[in-house]
Amino acid sequence: FDADGPQALVGLCLAQVCCSLDALCSRRTDGSMSLIWAPPFPQEMADQLLHMMATKGLLNDTTIGIFRNCKELRLRRASIRCSPVSAEAFHLALCPHRLQELDASWVSGSLSGANVISGLASNKECRSSLQKLSLNGLQLDWQAVVVDKGVRVGFSSLQGLRALNIANTDLTDSVLEDICTLPQLESLDISCSAISKLTALLECKNTLRSLTAHRLRQLDMSPAKLLFVLSQLHVLRHLDFSDDHFAVDDSDGRDGDETMQQLLEGSPHVLPSLVSLDISGRKRITEAAVRAFVEARSGLAFLGLLATGVSSCEVLSSQKNLKVRLTGEANEEQVCEALRRYRDRECFIREALIHLYNLTMDIDTPQPDMLKLVLRVMQSHPSSLHVHLVATACAFNLTTQDLAEAMPVSLLSSTVTQLLYTMKTFPNHQQVQKNCLLMLCSDYILQDVPFDKYLAATLVINWLSSHEDPTLQRMAVAVISILVAKVMTLLTYCALNVFIMKQLLAIVQQKAMVGVVDSTLKFALSALWNLTDEMPAAARNFIECQGLELYEEVLESYCTEPSIQQKLLGLLNNIAEVEEMQAHLMEEDLLEHILSLLQDSQVEVGVRYFAGGILAHLTSRPEAWTLDEELHTTILKQLHASIMTWTHMDREMVSYRSFRPFCPLLQTCQPSGVQLWAVWAMQLVCSQNMSHYSSMLEKEGVTELLKALAAHPDTHSDIKGLSESILSMAEQHQSHSGASNNHAGS
């Protein structure tokens, strides 16, 4: 979502390979896949294919088998992150490669850290070639490690290792001792492990440049001993000694806080190469200590101070020459830096999002980079309610009103897709659902941004079915009413769903009982109108759900509200189009009321138009008329007289998916009032949008019906004139389109 431009060709090709694995592969006897034929891949492309399979959730014991062929698919930088891969599949597919990097973080199969080390060590080339290894989130299971010819295989067997991540593992002090004997170790992450001593670090004091030791809850060293060990790391440039401030009570973390306080206040000769220090989450750090540290270190490039209470320290803003990147909560830059740096740390992401929400409450300029950060942290923490609760609120703040229209469409599309995932993941959390609905309830997003609209509507409908919160109800109905008009399969689904019909009718009844005119009522009426458009099954559901009785009452009670009347009559017009439903409308009081609307010159043309449509359809079939003949005659007479007084409307009042319901009304045998309503309606929409209706006229046989009407000697002159007008517009449009096409091809 970084740009609206096309994807790189190599990415598209690899994505196609991922989609076509079944067709491209044969199966070995153990069920694993093998490419039937493949040219030797460029080495970087093989790495990309493995990474793409992992990120798309396609990598498993079966599919990883294609990498057993080391000649065609040579791996150097391998990632199987978060994939369900067993120890056996790992050994067969990855260990034969001369790997330089391996990311096996959070693998969900039976693979342990011990399996990884013994497997890699079994390849003599890997012992020296592997430089970077991540086992974040893996069980090391060190007791199960394989012994090679009587010698226990450990991390130290991988002599080429420079960077090692064993955060969130069952790391022990003895294993750390083995790790620290690595001769080239430069970067080490032991965060969230069970380490109690850091004394082993003295073994690599001349090589270690980066130490990440976030949240070492079982560390058992006095501040003096801990500071002594750290002070011996002469070449250390990056130190992360942050802590999880949510999980720390008054007794926890005190020694670590005191150590960092002493480090800040101490001499710059301690850790002289240090340019990056992260102490976020340390509660007992003072502004004086931060000031002393910053003033003593001119080469400082980064300082992590989120959730310390000192990120607004005056020295950080007063020194003009200070070029230090900061994480904290004092301003947007600090908060965004926190979202970038702490993407995988839920405790800090939650904190940063809370501050971002407050900072974006009244934002008035588009911030796509901020939205990208919010989206990324949601993707990084798919099951965290805390993260999604605040992140969805931030997403709404960043896309409210006109801000969305200034965002890249691809970014909005990715964000909405993520919101739908969030709604699906937390279906019963009211505030999360509300936040998602707030962002979705945007005309621009619903109309112009591509996303799975069917999924969106079904999620919203499910929410609507089990909650009665008025605010959420309003937004849910608004979203449904717009989406059902855009997606035909969704329209069909909703039209056939009696439950949805009942829900929408219940909202109409609820609003009508108190006589309010609000957007919820209008959206509900619009949704019902859309659902019954050329949907006989929906019309039947509407009748069976007592919708007709309700609409008769609402039509009377909202007699001064043309916007409501128009939507009510529009739905009744849909029912009048269905021959088998017409009998339900044969009520004298109802038709006399509709006739009074047709005749009243004070009533808006939009209302009179739909009133005329109902009456035209009902009087077009004399054999089905069951009421007084005098009423039938009066309606036909008033139809013609009233329509001739209507003024042309510039605004688009209605649009049609098809002209098929008009065909019976255009027959030469029909009364003039019926014919006149049909040709007036068609002339109106065609004059407003002929490009939409031109092909419809021809395909549905309407052109021939209009020609027959215009040529018939008994056709009223008013109808002839309108028929000829429509035919003329259609002819002009076709000749203009033909001329444009000829010009384009010349």
Side-chain angles (χ1 to χ4, degrees):
F1 49 73
D2 289 327
D4 284 323
Q7 294 181 44
L9 181 59
V10 65
L12 292 170
C13 293
L14 291 176
Q16 187 60 41
V17 172
C18 289
C19 294
S20 310
L21 282 175
D22 283 325
L24 296 172
C25 294
S26 59
R27 300 284 179 131
R28 299 184 182 91
T29 53
D30 63 1
S32 63
M33 285 183 169
S34 173
L35 286 172
I36 297 169
W37 175 86
F41 270 50
Q43 184 268 307
E44 296 84 356
M45 198 178 292
D47 292 341
Q48 289 175 30
L49 177 60
L50 177 66
H51 183 263
M52 185 176 287
M53 289 170 65
T55 54
K56 285 179 176 289
L58 299 174
L59 196 66
N60 52 46
D61 281 6
T62 300
T63 58
I64 202 173
I66 68 172
F67 294 96
R68 291 190 198 177
N69 190 335
C70 299
K71 292 182 179 179
E72 277 73 31
L73 294 169
R74 292 175 298 122
L75 296 172
R76 291 294 179 266
R77 294 174 176 82
S79 173
I80 57 172
R81 189 181 180 90
C82 300
S83 301
V85 176
S86 68
E88 183 182 5
F90 171 79
H91 280 216
L92 290 170
L94 296 191
C95 293
H97 294 268
R98 193 175 189 276
L99 296 177
Q100 294 174 0
E101 298 178 9
L102 172 65
D103 184 354
S105 301
W106 305 103
V107 168
S108 56
S110 60
L111 188 65
S112 69
N115 296 143
V116 173
I117 298 304
S118 61
L120 295 173
S122 67
N123 181 339
K124 290 184 178 180
E125 288 187 321
C126 264
R127 289 183 179 229
S128 58
S129 68
L130 193 73
Q131 298 179 23
K132 187 175 182 179
L133 176 63
S134 179
L135 303 178
N136 189 3
L138 233 56
Q139 274 291 111
L140 295 182
D141 195 18
W142 215 245
Q143 287 68 33
V145 74
V146 175
V147 175
D148 181 18
K149 295 179 181 178
V151 179
R152 180 177 287 273
V153 175
F155 282 94
S156 56
S157 62
L158 303 174
Q159 289 286 291
L161 267 184
R162 294 177 178 273
L164 177 62
N165 181 347
I166 40 174
N168 300 288
T169 66
D170 51 337
L171 178 66
T172 62
D173 291 346
S174 60
V175 176
L176 181 62
E177 289 175 8
D178 176 58
I179 290 167
C180 291
T181 63
L182 288 165
Q184 302 182 69
L185 187 64
E186 297 178 352
S187 176
L188 179 63
D189 188 341
I190 55 174
S191 302
C192 303
S193 65
I195 288 294
S196 65
K197 305 291 182 187
L198 294 183
T199 313
L201 296 175
L202 295 173
E203 289 295 317
C204 54
K205 64 181 181 180
N206 295 320
T207 61
L208 196 64
R209 293 173 172 272
S210 174
L211 174 64
T212 304
H214 167 71
R215 196 188 175 197
L216 296 183
R217 194 47 42 83
Q218 296 185 41
L219 194 62
D220 184 21
M221 296 178 74
S222 68
K225 288 183 178 178
L226 185 55
L227 190 61
F228 170 76
V229 171
L230 294 175
S231 68
Q232 297 301 302
L233 306 179
H234 304 301
V235 296
L236 197 70
R237 294 177 60 79
H238 167 78
L239 174 62
D240 181 343
F241 210 73
S242 57
D243 205 0
D244 181 349
H245 64 297
F246 283 117
V248 179
D249 59 31
D250 287 339
S251 60
D252 287 339
R254 186 180 296 277
D255 288 345
D257 289 1
E258 178 60 31
T259 303
M260 290 301 101
Q261 177 79 3
Q262 290 181 24
L263 175 63
L264 291 170
E265 294 173 334
S267 165
H269 298 299
V270 176
L271 298 179
S273 302
L274 202 67
V275 295
S276 168
L277 176 66
D278 198 333
I279 52 173
S280 291
R282 296 287 173 188
K283 296 178 179 178
R284 303 174 184 87
I285 302 300
T286 65
E287 285 196 13
V290 171
R291 186 183 307 111
F293 185 78
V294 169
E295 290 176 345
R297 292 180 180 267
S298 58
L300 192 65
F302 170 73
L303 188 57
L305 297 174
L306 184 69
T308 60
V310 296
S311 64
S312 56
C313 180
E314 186 182 354
V315 70
L316 300 175
S317 56
S318 61
Q319 289 194 17
K320 294 180 180 179
N321 296 327
L322 189 65
K323 296 181 179 179
V324 181
R325 298 185 76 86
L326 296 165
T327 59
E329 53 270 350
N331 52 48
E332 286 180 10
E333 289 77 15
Q334 291 186 12
V335 171
C336 288
E337 185 67 23
L339 290 172
R340 276 189 289 271
R341 288 198 178 243
Y342 304 135
R343 183 173 167 181
D344 295 327
R345 292 184 186 170
E346 183 181 348
C347 60
F348 293 156
I349 289 299
R350 288 164 58 188
E351 182 80 12
L353 285 172
I354 290 168
H355 293 292
L356 185 69
Y357 173 75
N358 293 326
L359 288 167
T360 56
M361 284 286 285
D362 299 310
I363 197 165
D364 56 4
T365 55
Q367 300 286 349
D369 288 340
M370 274 190 195
L371 186 59
K372 287 177 190 175
L373 290 173
V374 172
L375 175 58
R376 282 174 178 152
V377 299
M378 290 173 78
Q379 292 168 338
S380 296
H381 300 275
S383 59
S384 169
L385 173 60
H386 294 293
V387 168
H388 286 258
L389 178 60
V390 193
T392 51
C394 291
F396 169 67
N397 283 354
L398 291 165
T399 56
T400 187
Q401 296 178 5
D402 297 330
L403 295 176
E405 296 183 37
M407 296 282 186
V409 173
S410 54
L411 173 59
L412 284 177
S413 180
S414 299
T415 305
V416 174
T417 299
Q418 178 59 48
L419 288 187
L420 298 182
Y421 172 85
T422 301
M423 292 178 75
K424 200 173 178 180
T425 306
F426 308 103
N428 298 314
H429 196 283
Q430 184 157 313
Q431 191 59 51
V432 168
Q433 297 288 324
K434 183 176 181 178
N435 293 347
C436 294
L437 282 170
L438 278 166
M439 181 173 169
L440 268 182
C441 203
S442 152
D443 281 346
Y444 174 71
I445 288 174
L446 291 173
Q447 301 279 8
D448 299 326
V449 175
F451 61 92
D452 188 340
K453 293 178 171 61
Y454 187 88
L455 174 62
T458 51
L459 287 170
V460 173
I461 288 163
N462 289 339
W463 171 263
L464 189 63
S465 67
S466 53
H467 297 82
E468 295 183 358
D469 179 270
T471 305
L472 291 176
Q473 198 178 63
R474 173 182 61 79
M475 292 187 291
V477 173
V479 171
I480 293 168
S481 69
I482 292 172
L483 291 180
V484 294
K486 290 187 71 66
V487 186
M488 199 62 200
T489 53
L490 181 61
L491 176 62
T492 306
Y493 167 76
C494 293
L496 298 176
N497 192 313
V498 177
F499 172 77
I500 295 169
M501 184 73 71
K502 286 181 177 178
Q503 286 294 119
L504 293 170
L505 286 170
I507 291 169
V508 173
Q509 185 171 35
Q510 181 187 63
K511 296 295 180 180
M513 283 175 65
V514 290
V516 298
V517 178
D518 62 10
S519 57
T520 307
L521 175 61
K522 290 180 180 179
F523 278 127
L525 291 172
S526 294
L528 287 162
W529 186 4
N530 275 319
L531 290 180
T532 53
D533 186 16
E534 293 194 59
M535 288 285 178
R540 197 173 298 110
N541 287 343
F542 177 83
I543 298 293
E544 291 174 358
C545 293
Q546 285 76 52
L548 185 57
E549 293 85 345
L550 174 62
Y551 267 48
E552 288 180 44
E553 293 174 15
V554 178
L555 197 58
E556 296 259 0
S557 58
Y558 284 85
C559 57
T560 59
E561 296 291 341
S563 64
I564 302 298
Q565 286 184 309
Q566 190 168 307
K567 296 177 192 302
L568 294 166
L569 293 169
L571 182 142
L572 296 180
N573 190 81
N574 288 343
I575 292 176
E577 291 175 358
V578 184
E579 289 186 1
E580 62 266 31
M581 294 286 108
Q582 289 175 346
H584 294 282
L585 297 174
M586 291 294 177
E587 296 180 23
E588 194 166 326
D589 289 344
L590 173 62
L591 295 192
E592 284 184 347
H593 180 71
I594 293 173
L595 179 59
S596 69
L597 293 173
L598 174 76
Q599 294 172 298
D600 192 344
S601 60
Q602 301 301 311
V603 172
E604 285 190 6
V605 173
V607 175
R608 300 170 76 190
Y609 169 82
F610 289 110
I614 297 166
L615 298 174
H617 282 289
L618 294 179
T619 53
S620 69
R621 296 177 64 232
E623 71 278 10
W625 185 263
T626 59
L627 301 177
D628 185 65
E629 281 302 319
E630 188 178 338
L631 178 59
H632 188 274
T633 304
T634 303
I635 288 172
L636 289 174
K637 182 180 176 183
Q638 291 300 320
L639 261 175
H640 198 122
S642 175
I643 293 168
M644 292 311 297
T645 66
W646 295 354
T647 54
H648 182 82
M649 290 181 292
D650 293 325
R651 67 181 179 85
E652 194 171 41
M653 176 183 64
V654 64
S655 64
Y656 292 103
R657 296 191 186 96
S658 165
F659 279 146
R660 280 186 292 271
F662 287 81
C663 292
L665 311 184
L666 295 171
Q667 302 298 323
T668 55
C669 60
Q670 288 287 7
S672 67
V674 172
Q675 294 170 339
L676 184 60
W677 182 84
V679 292
W680 193 94
M682 294 174 68
Q683 199 270 347
L684 171 68
V685 296
C686 287
S687 66
Q688 292 173 337
N689 191 0
M690 180 50 89
S691 59
H692 175 67
Y693 295 107
S694 176
S695 60
M696 201 184 290
L697 288 169
E698 197 66 39
K699 287 178 183 176
E700 296 176 356
V702 178
T703 301
E704 293 306 312
L705 290 173
L706 290 172
K707 286 178 179 177
L709 262 185
H712 199 279
D714 295 335
T715 301
H716 195 285
S717 59
D718 296 334
I719 298 161
K720 279 189 177 184
L722 288 171
S723 299
E724 289 167 352
S725 171
I726 299 167
L727 291 167
S728 175
M729 282 190 288
E731 194 175 320
Q732 287 177 14
H733 176 78
Q734 287 171 354
S735 62
H736 177 72
S737 299
S740 298
N741 291 337
N742 289 337
H743 178 71
S746 61

